[in-house]
Amino acid sequence: MMVPIDVMEQMRGAFRAEAQDLLIELDCALLILERGPGDSSLVHRVFRAIHTIKGSGATAGNLHLARFAHKMEEALTLRAKGDWLSLPN
């Protein structure tokens, strides 16, 4: 089923607005996490922002971004397990 162009443009506009807020949140959380890498609540904040970017991006037709965000989720999951050395290709 094809989504009408005007609806897709509205979805992309909404995604851009949401993504801007999420990227600010992500940036702040990553900077704080850099100073305190053991804070699991910060890792969770980062994961939530990336997860939302992935889902919203895919919905808005940004499939490359969604795949990239998925790889970031995988890396964060490995980090949470303490297994940085087995990052996926």
Side-chain angles (χ1 to χ4, degrees):
M1 180 176 153
M2 292 292 294
V3 177
I5 292 173
D6 60 329
V7 172
M8 196 58 150
E9 284 305 314
Q10 288 176 353
M11 290 169 59
R12 286 185 179 131
F15 169 71
R16 282 190 294 273
E18 180 183 34
Q20 185 173 10
D21 292 341
L22 289 167
L23 289 172
I24 291 168
E25 168 67 17
L26 183 59
D27 185 48
C28 290
L30 287 171
L31 288 172
I32 297 168
L33 187 61
E34 185 177 39
R35 289 179 279 175
D39 188 339
S40 62
S41 68
L42 285 171
V43 174
H44 187 67
R45 277 176 57 189
V46 169
F47 188 89
R48 269 195 332 263
I50 292 170
H51 182 75
T52 303
I53 288 169
K54 179 186 78 172
S56 297
T59 300
N62 296 305
L63 300 181
H64 292 292
L65 176 62
R67 283 192 289 275
F68 176 74
H70 181 73
K71 291 293 184 183
M72 290 179 68
E73 283 181 330
E74 289 176 346
L76 283 169
T77 299
L78 290 173
R79 185 253 183 240
K81 293 178 182 177
D83 193 7
W84 280 108
L85 298 177
S86 60
L87 290 173
N89 293 331

